[in-house]
Amino acid sequence: MPIIRIDFDEKQVNRDQIETLSKAIQSIVSDKTEIKEVFVYVDEHVFVIDADPIEVFVEMSAHIMEKNDQLMAQIKTDIQKWKSETNFDIPINLTLTPMNWQLEIGI
């Protein structure tokens, strides 16, 4: 299950914009990975110094990212399309991170 973490500078981006973006990115990642369980966590920070407006970090199992260049291109294209369709003009930095994790649910 991919996990999306979004950091943002609240001086450059408002909560409504981040909520709209979060839902869009969740849908895009779910579509491109064909996984329904995609979780999004959005963090506000006490301090933000010289940060870009929006940082999106997508962590997922390494085997899903075997063709990471292709997956990055697909996600990037869909984000660009969404930004164009919604007139979302704030720059977004995207990082995909393969994870070799062990997971226990409901302990």
Side-chain angles (χ1 to χ4, degrees):
M1 73 190 124
I3 296 175
I4 301 169
R5 299 185 192 281
I6 300 176
D7 295 334
F8 69 101
D9 181 352
E10 64 185 36
K11 292 178 183 160
Q12 300 180 63
V13 187
N14 68 49
R15 284 178 177 241
D16 290 338
Q17 291 169 313
I18 286 297
E19 184 175 353
T20 301
L21 172 67
S22 299
K23 291 175 182 177
I25 290 184
Q26 179 187 34
S27 177
I28 290 167
V29 170
S30 180
D31 179 59
K32 295 306 170 198
T33 61
E34 299 180 352
I35 298 172
K36 291 182 184 180
E37 298 85 13
V38 176
F39 304 108
V40 179
Y41 298 94
V42 179
D43 294 318
E44 291 184 69
H45 301 286
V46 175
F47 296 104
V48 177
I49 301 170
D50 293 332
D52 288 329
I54 301 171
E55 298 281 353
V56 176
F57 303 94
V58 182
E59 300 173 344
M60 64 185 86
S61 296
H63 73 274
I64 297 170
M65 292 188 59
E66 288 175 352
K67 297 180 181 178
N68 60 352
D69 291 338
Q70 180 180 359
L71 183 61
M72 174 63 94
Q74 291 172 344
I75 292 172
K76 176 184 168 185
T77 297
D78 281 11
I79 291 173
Q80 289 171 324
K81 181 179 176 186
W82 174 82
K83 285 181 69 176
S84 175
E85 291 171 353
T86 61
N87 295 318
F88 193 94
D89 60 354
I90 302 167
I92 299 169
N93 296 339
L94 175 65
T95 302
L96 300 184
T97 305
M99 302 297 289
N100 291 316
W101 48 30
Q102 289 184 287
L103 179 65
E104 293 288 336
I105 298 175
I107 299 172

